[in-house]
Amino acid sequence: MNASDNAVSRCWSCHGPVNRGAAFCPTCSAIQPPHACDPFRTLGLAPGFDIDSADLEQRYFARQRELHPDRFAANSPREREYASRHTANLNDAFAMLRTPVKRAEALLAAAGHATGTGETDTVADEELLVEAMEMREGLAEARSRSAVDAVVAAQEAKTDACIAALSRAFAAEDRAAAARLVLRLTYLQKFATEARERRGRLTAA
Amino acid sequence: MSGLLQIHEPGRTPLPHQREDMAVGIDLGTTNSLVAFAEDGQAEVVRDSRGRALVPSVVAYLERGVVVGEEARRELLDEAERVVVSVKRLMGRGYEDVQRVAGQLPYEVEIPADGDGGMVRLRVAGRTLSPVEVSAEILRAIKARAEAALGHAVSRAVITVPAHFDDAARNATKDAARLAGLETLRLVNEPTAAALAYGLDEAAEGLYAVYDLGGGTFDVSVLRLRMGVFQVLATGGDPLLGGDDFDRLVAEHFLRQRAGVPGDAALTSNEAKMALISARLAKECLTDQDSGSWTIDVGGRPSRHDLDRATLEALIEPLVARTLDITRDVLADAGVTPAEIAGLVLVGGSTRVPMVRRRVAEVFGREPLDDIDPEEVVARGAALQAEALTRGSQALLLDVTPLSLGIETMGGLCEKVMPRNTPVPAARAQEFTTYQDGQSAMMIHVVQGERELVAENRSLARFELAGIPPMAAGAARIRVTFAVDADGLLTVSADEATTGVRQQVAVKPSYGLSEDETAAMLRASMEHAAADMDARLLREARVDGERMIQAVTAALRVDGDLLDGAEREAIAGVVEALRRTLAGDDRGSIQDAVETCNAGTEEFASRRMDRGIRAALKGHSVAEVAESLSGEN
Ligand SMILES: Nc1ncnc2c1ncn2[C@@H]1O[C@H](COP(=O)(O)OP(=O)(O)OP(=O)(O)O)[C@@H](O)[C@H]1O
Ligand SMILES: [Mg+2]
């Protein structure tokens, strides 16, 4: 086996050469079976934390248009199956890249750096613990929709700042700092969900 | 940008534009079913000579044969015991499910024998029928209606299902279509189909909520419409909540008023049917009038009952409140506030109830869109999708899983493999290991639902992973992949990581029909089964043959210089032979010609691979090489 055997595979339809990882045969245009690849590549992006979400979404939709099994309704079961697998990968990649937390985790994992957001990890960061507790209390005390809105606005400002800090940490290749910020962002977002639920209950009442 | 001017898009075989093969959209409802077709993005509902689009989803098994629709509904008055209504509620359901609502169902049900597939059976007019067979009768009638209107055979359809239908109910629907001689192009979720009907007509953009309360089921979905993409953000519902339940509450109210009428102690399923008929009539009348009076006649003992709208509203209030709770949860799941919704679409006959409209409008703080008839909108959307799938379209439906997928772990707990609202198609792999030395098999139990205990979720399937190579406990690494396709259907595959042994997993559905059963039903009940099957295989062979011609032609264009004149002629010969078989109807000779074509191009293919690999070694991508060469030709 040499490098070129790995780089080129055989099109199942016209039996000609196809670059490994290409979704379509360059000769006969037949859809090819998907290969595992990182979420950035799946969406045609260079790995990095800073992503324009409108651009990401446009890429996602454009690829869906090419690869969704509904586009292959008139083709063979085999092609529909490949399309289905491509789209499943695409959905996964999009889910991973669209949220800053998961995107950061993917980058850290690719760099071999563990993150502390698993459920069993204990939080060592004192500062973060105190902050989380204060936010919870603030939310528990909010008894009207406008009070919840005020708490949410404060949390959103913090989230934005945290994402900006995360971007700087990745730019400086400071992975330890990035890992800490990912944890903080996870907390902020969990809190946002709780706030939304609380607001929903107040609306209902 | 020349890239925009493609003749046809990559990988897709354009279909010949022929009306004779038009695919239809079918809304297979609990109460009513209907069929529509679409041409050039315009959907049209098929109507009978009197202009009626709705076919009651009622089947009567009479002495003179099986009748469906209005005619069957009339039999409810004379021979209720021969009539089946609301069979959709039993699709993919087990005996235990039905027992949960026992005493409320106007059916005689039968406990399935062991190994018989867990789906409940109905006893009607001396026959034992599965819900799939009854649904197939409705689909047959619908198919015939479409064929009469279009003037040609109809063999393919997009069929809608409640978004909240689980895997078993979806499979059951596909089985019913197969029995009726229909190929299911796609199962589309009812609220998504409704959004499609609205979105295409109005070129809408933004967030839409679809609230669908029909006869038997409730669904609510939040979608984002953008550049022709219909992206479902979240969906929720209750597969056992609908107008039928309103009817049941009203019937119970009437029967309470009758308390004391002697001889009423135990209602038969027929008498329950009679009470439900009056209840439904009363409910529907109270949409337009404030009060009224109705009769129920049970066992020749008639009684009169007054009902006003306020009382009706008090009776159904808990159910309406439940739909609103689900609606708020779905909005939260979608991460959307009611104020952000640009359009509220009401679907289903039960949204005609004034209180339902009022309360839903309150939640969203806006009036619903009602340009399209709420009873027809789903079928229209299905027809548009049928056209999109067969003729091509820029619209794209991106749907999600309605329920979380999980597996049973120690202690009867459920471990989630795929959360609800995951975009489909989706695949998740999960690793398992053995807990005993030398263990060669393990059982895996897949469930659907949101609860923590397996017992509180719906069992989907069990399967055994066998043939695990003997290893120490915990050493085997078995990767099980759960894949959910665009129809929302689950498939499972497994491989052992250390040995690379791959397994096709035979999944035994908890509430399905076995392959044998389906085959037997096909044989027993469908005279055209063989012909339909042949037609389908022929179509598949054609698709394959056309693909082959396209592939070889493209290869000749790009790499033709690798052949000498005689070789090129030989290949042209086998391609021409294949082309000739495609003009005929003989599947065997098409397949033979494809094989000959394959063999005849083998040497050509290996020269092309050599060239590709040499190019790759020089650092050129295959695409570049192909492009430069096709430029020369
Ligand atoms: N004017 C009305 N007022 C109140 N309810 C009505 C009215 N018209 C129809 N309904 C109710 O609507 C229900 C049927 O609606 P629809 O035809 O949309 O259901 P379906 O599509 O058959 O059911 P599903 O979508 O749940 O499978 C019945 O329960 C019927 O009683
Ligand atoms: Mg309906």
Side-chain angles (χ1 to χ4, degrees), chain B residues 327-350:
Chain B
T327 302
R328 278 187 280 262
D329 288 348
V330 168
L331 283 166
D333 277 353
V336 164
T337 61
E340 291 173 274
I341 298 292
L344 166 64
V345 176
L346 294 189
V347 183
S350 296

mmCIF file of all heavy atoms in Angstrom, chain B residues 327-350:
data_model
loop_
_atom_site.group_PDB
_atom_site.id
_atom_site.type_symbol
_atom_site.label_atom_id
_atom_site.label_comp_id
_atom_site.label_asym_id
_atom_site.label_seq_id
_atom_site.Cartn_x
_atom_site.Cartn_y
_atom_site.Cartn_z
ATOM 1 N N THR B 327 -47.540 22.490 23.260
ATOM 2 C CA THR B 327 -47.125 23.563 22.353
ATOM 3 C C THR B 327 -46.039 24.418 22.993
ATOM 4 O O THR B 327 -45.022 24.736 22.359
ATOM 5 C CB THR B 327 -48.338 24.451 21.998
ATOM 6 O OG1 THR B 327 -49.338 23.616 21.415
ATOM 7 C CG2 THR B 327 -47.948 25.550 21.019
ATOM 8 N N ARG B 328 -46.231 24.779 24.258
ATOM 9 C CA ARG B 328 -45.217 25.602 24.934
ATOM 10 C C ARG B 328 -43.896 24.848 25.070
ATOM 11 O O ARG B 328 -42.825 25.423 24.894
ATOM 12 C CB ARG B 328 -45.737 26.071 26.294
ATOM 13 C CG ARG B 328 -46.645 27.299 26.164
ATOM 14 C CD ARG B 328 -47.015 27.863 27.530
ATOM 15 N NE ARG B 328 -48.100 27.087 28.119
ATOM 16 C CZ ARG B 328 -49.381 27.445 28.066
ATOM 17 N NH1 ARG B 328 -49.721 28.579 27.493
ATOM 18 N NH2 ARG B 328 -50.308 26.700 28.603
ATOM 19 N N ASP B 329 -43.977 23.554 25.347
ATOM 20 C CA ASP B 329 -42.741 22.762 25.444
ATOM 21 C C ASP B 329 -41.994 22.746 24.115
ATOM 22 O O ASP B 329 -40.764 22.833 24.081
ATOM 23 C CB ASP B 329 -43.061 21.307 25.842
ATOM 24 C CG ASP B 329 -43.495 21.198 27.299
ATOM 25 O OD1 ASP B 329 -43.327 22.188 28.043
ATOM 26 O OD2 ASP B 329 -44.011 20.129 27.683
ATOM 27 N N VAL B 330 -42.746 22.617 23.033
ATOM 28 C CA VAL B 330 -42.101 22.549 21.714
ATOM 29 C C VAL B 330 -41.435 23.888 21.379
ATOM 30 O O VAL B 330 -40.325 23.924 20.851
ATOM 31 C CB VAL B 330 -43.120 22.131 20.630
ATOM 32 C CG1 VAL B 330 -42.553 22.351 19.240
ATOM 33 C CG2 VAL B 330 -43.491 20.665 20.816
ATOM 34 N N LEU B 331 -42.121 24.975 21.721
ATOM 35 C CA LEU B 331 -41.504 26.291 21.501
ATOM 36 C C LEU B 331 -40.202 26.386 22.280
ATOM 37 O O LEU B 331 -39.181 26.859 21.766
ATOM 38 C CB LEU B 331 -42.465 27.409 21.928
ATOM 39 C CG LEU B 331 -43.604 27.705 20.947
ATOM 40 C CD1 LEU B 331 -44.673 28.560 21.622
ATOM 41 C CD2 LEU B 331 -43.065 28.411 19.704
ATOM 42 N N ALA B 332 -40.221 25.912 23.530
ATOM 43 C CA ALA B 332 -39.006 25.954 24.343
ATOM 44 C C ALA B 332 -37.914 25.083 23.732
ATOM 45 O O ALA B 332 -36.755 25.495 23.638
ATOM 46 C CB ALA B 332 -39.314 25.514 25.776
ATOM 47 N N ASP B 333 -38.296 23.876 23.272
ATOM 48 C CA ASP B 333 -37.320 22.996 22.617
ATOM 49 C C ASP B 333 -36.704 23.668 21.400
ATOM 50 O O ASP B 333 -35.534 23.468 21.090
ATOM 51 C CB ASP B 333 -37.983 21.686 22.160
ATOM 52 C CG ASP B 333 -38.086 20.665 23.287
ATOM 53 O OD1 ASP B 333 -37.523 20.934 24.368
ATOM 54 O OD2 ASP B 333 -38.717 19.613 23.078
ATOM 55 N N ALA B 334 -37.513 24.425 20.685
ATOM 56 C CA ALA B 334 -37.021 25.080 19.471
ATOM 57 C C ALA B 334 -36.213 26.331 19.815
ATOM 58 O O ALA B 334 -35.569 26.912 18.952
ATOM 59 C CB ALA B 334 -38.188 25.446 18.555
ATOM 60 N N GLY B 335 -36.276 26.744 21.080
ATOM 61 C CA GLY B 335 -35.578 27.957 21.488
ATOM 62 C C GLY B 335 -36.213 29.205 20.886
ATOM 63 O O GLY B 335 -35.522 30.133 20.492
ATOM 64 N N VAL B 336 -37.532 29.201 20.827
ATOM 65 C CA VAL B 336 -38.256 30.269 20.136
ATOM 66 C C VAL B 336 -39.351 30.787 21.074
ATOM 67 O O VAL B 336 -39.952 30.011 21.801
ATOM 68 C CB VAL B 336 -38.887 29.685 18.845
ATOM 69 C CG1 VAL B 336 -39.943 30.597 18.297
ATOM 70 C CG2 VAL B 336 -37.819 29.389 17.808
ATOM 71 N N THR B 337 -39.584 32.091 21.074
ATOM 72 C CA THR B 337 -40.703 32.617 21.852
ATOM 73 C C THR B 337 -41.899 32.806 20.921
ATOM 74 O O THR B 337 -41.714 33.003 19.717
ATOM 75 C CB THR B 337 -40.359 33.983 22.485
ATOM 76 O OG1 THR B 337 -40.084 34.899 21.433
ATOM 77 C CG2 THR B 337 -39.145 33.882 23.402
ATOM 78 N N PRO B 338 -43.122 32.775 21.483
ATOM 79 C CA PRO B 338 -44.313 32.911 20.631
ATOM 80 C C PRO B 338 -44.257 34.174 19.768
ATOM 81 O O PRO B 338 -44.715 34.172 18.619
ATOM 82 C CB PRO B 338 -45.463 32.989 21.635
ATOM 83 C CG PRO B 338 -44.962 32.319 22.861
ATOM 84 C CD PRO B 338 -43.478 32.541 22.889
ATOM 85 N N ALA B 339 -43.671 35.238 20.319
ATOM 86 C CA ALA B 339 -43.655 36.502 19.588
ATOM 87 C C ALA B 339 -42.815 36.415 18.312
ATOM 88 O O ALA B 339 -43.018 37.174 17.370
ATOM 89 C CB ALA B 339 -43.120 37.606 20.495
ATOM 90 N N GLU B 340 -41.866 35.490 18.280
ATOM 91 C CA GLU B 340 -40.994 35.378 17.100
ATOM 92 C C GLU B 340 -41.655 34.655 15.938
ATOM 93 O O GLU B 340 -41.127 34.631 14.827
ATOM 94 C CB GLU B 340 -39.707 34.636 17.475
ATOM 95 C CG GLU B 340 -38.785 35.410 18.398
ATOM 96 C CD GLU B 340 -37.622 34.556 18.866
ATOM 97 O OE1 GLU B 340 -37.761 33.825 19.864
ATOM 98 O OE2 GLU B 340 -36.568 34.612 18.212
ATOM 99 N N ILE B 341 -42.788 33.999 16.212
ATOM 100 C CA ILE B 341 -43.458 33.225 15.166
ATOM 101 C C ILE B 341 -44.107 34.166 14.148
ATOM 102 O O ILE B 341 -44.894 35.036 14.506
ATOM 103 C CB ILE B 341 -44.533 32.308 15.812
ATOM 104 C CG1 ILE B 341 -43.890 31.303 16.773
ATOM 105 C CG2 ILE B 341 -45.340 31.588 14.743
ATOM 106 C CD1 ILE B 341 -43.029 30.251 16.125
ATOM 107 N N ALA B 342 -43.747 33.959 12.880
ATOM 108 C CA ALA B 342 -44.265 34.846 11.832
ATOM 109 C C ALA B 342 -45.626 34.379 11.331
ATOM 110 O O ALA B 342 -46.403 35.169 10.797
ATOM 111 C CB ALA B 342 -43.280 34.899 10.675
ATOM 112 N N GLY B 343 -45.907 33.089 11.484
ATOM 113 C CA GLY B 343 -47.186 32.588 11.001
ATOM 114 C C GLY B 343 -47.610 31.368 11.787
ATOM 115 O O GLY B 343 -46.795 30.509 12.101
ATOM 116 N N LEU B 344 -48.895 31.333 12.107
ATOM 117 C CA LEU B 344 -49.452 30.197 12.838
ATOM 118 C C LEU B 344 -50.409 29.484 11.896
ATOM 119 O O LEU B 344 -51.341 30.090 11.370
ATOM 120 C CB LEU B 344 -50.193 30.722 14.076
ATOM 121 C CG LEU B 344 -51.125 29.754 14.799
ATOM 122 C CD1 LEU B 344 -50.348 28.593 15.385
ATOM 123 C CD2 LEU B 344 -51.891 30.487 15.903
ATOM 124 N N VAL B 345 -50.143 28.208 11.671
ATOM 125 C CA VAL B 345 -50.967 27.435 10.749
ATOM 126 C C VAL B 345 -51.796 26.439 11.555
ATOM 127 O O VAL B 345 -51.247 25.681 12.351
ATOM 128 C CB VAL B 345 -50.079 26.670 9.736
ATOM 129 C CG1 VAL B 345 -50.940 25.794 8.834
ATOM 130 C CG2 VAL B 345 -49.248 27.637 8.910
ATOM 131 N N LEU B 346 -53.112 26.469 11.364
ATOM 132 C CA LEU B 346 -53.972 25.495 12.035
ATOM 133 C C LEU B 346 -54.357 24.412 11.041
ATOM 134 O O LEU B 346 -54.770 24.700 9.926
ATOM 135 C CB LEU B 346 -55.236 26.163 12.576
ATOM 136 C CG LEU B 346 -55.060 27.179 13.706
ATOM 137 C CD1 LEU B 346 -56.416 27.581 14.267
ATOM 138 C CD2 LEU B 346 -54.182 26.626 14.810
ATOM 139 N N VAL B 347 -54.205 23.172 11.476
ATOM 140 C CA VAL B 347 -54.492 22.037 10.612
ATOM 141 C C VAL B 347 -55.417 21.088 11.362
ATOM 142 O O VAL B 347 -55.323 20.955 12.575
ATOM 143 C CB VAL B 347 -53.180 21.279 10.269
ATOM 144 C CG1 VAL B 347 -53.460 20.129 9.309
ATOM 145 C CG2 VAL B 347 -52.152 22.221 9.680
ATOM 146 N N GLY B 348 -56.295 20.409 10.616
ATOM 147 C CA GLY B 348 -57.127 19.373 11.218
ATOM 148 C C GLY B 348 -58.519 19.883 11.568
ATOM 149 O O GLY B 348 -58.689 21.029 11.976
ATOM 150 N N GLY B 349 -59.499 19.011 11.408
ATOM 151 C CA GLY B 349 -60.889 19.377 11.627
ATOM 152 C C GLY B 349 -61.169 19.879 13.034
ATOM 153 O O GLY B 349 -62.043 20.731 13.237
ATOM 154 N N SER B 350 -60.408 19.378 14.013
ATOM 155 C CA SER B 350 -60.703 19.771 15.396
ATOM 156 C C SER B 350 -60.278 21.206 15.687
ATOM 157 O O SER B 350 -60.657 21.753 16.723
ATOM 158 C CB SER B 350 -60.037 18.807 16.372
ATOM 159 O OG SER B 350 -60.594 17.525 16.203
#
